[in-house]
Amino acid sequence: MPATFEISPAEQGFQQFRLLDSQGNTLVLGGEYETPELAESVIQKVRVGSMMSQFIAKCATPEGGMFFVIKDETGTVLAKSALFENEMEFNNTLHKVRESACIAQISYS
């Protein structure tokens, strides 16, 4: 099973998406959107951003953890990864996202 963008209900009637790998692990998590259609339009931007290095930013916490975000052309954060404690996990997840986001199907839960 390839990676999938899953759109699901969030709090207070909003919709949220996440990109899941073939084992069902969350690779990135999007924000909350008023409609499924709006979530889908942001997913399209994540697909583009995941292929372009200038739209991916590596971030760090004060405690030394690291994560990455995918932004659009205006610099707005569209999705972010989990927090990683080592460089290898960070790089592996980023590689999975770059490899799979552009072709991932959309599903609803």
Side-chain angles (χ1 to χ4, degrees), residues 16-49:
Q16 187 170 41
F17 70 84
R18 57 191 181 138
L19 177 62
L20 305 171
D21 68 11
S22 59
Q23 287 79 39
N25 300 310
T26 300
L27 300 174
V28 295
L29 183 64
E32 294 182 346
Y33 304 95
E34 292 180 7
T35 66
E37 295 80 17
L38 186 54
E40 283 187 32
S41 71
V42 174
I43 287 170
Q44 297 305 327
K45 292 179 181 182
V46 169
R47 286 178 169 154
V48 171

Side-chain angles (χ1 to χ4, degrees), residues 5-108:
F5 281 103
E6 180 182 82
I7 298 174
S8 58
E11 294 182 17
Q12 299 179 358
F14 288 94
Q15 303 293 309
Q16 187 170 41
F17 70 84
R18 57 191 181 138
L19 177 62
L20 305 171
D21 68 11
S22 59
Q23 287 79 39
N25 300 310
T26 300
L27 300 174
V28 295
L29 183 64
E32 294 182 346
Y33 304 95
E34 292 180 7
T35 66
E37 295 80 17
L38 186 54
E40 283 187 32
S41 71
V42 174
I43 287 170
Q44 297 305 327
K45 292 179 181 182
V46 169
R47 286 178 169 154
V48 171
S50 71
M51 295 184 293
M52 304 178 78
S53 296
Q54 69 266 30
F55 295 142
I56 299 173
K58 181 177 180 179
C59 307
T61 66
E63 297 80 26
M66 59 194 119
F67 62 99
F68 62 89
V69 296
I70 300 173
K71 301 178 181 184
D72 66 10
E73 62 279 350
T74 68
T76 301
V77 174
L78 304 172
K80 71 177 188 174
S81 73
L83 189 61
F84 303 100
E85 294 188 21
N86 69 62
E87 194 80 27
M88 187 174 78
E89 288 178 343
F90 175 91
N91 288 332
N92 285 343
T93 301
L94 181 56
H95 177 73
K96 284 181 184 179
V97 170
R98 285 183 164 165
E99 185 177 83
S100 63
C102 61
I103 59 171
Q105 298 297 312
I106 296 174
S107 69
Y108 293 88

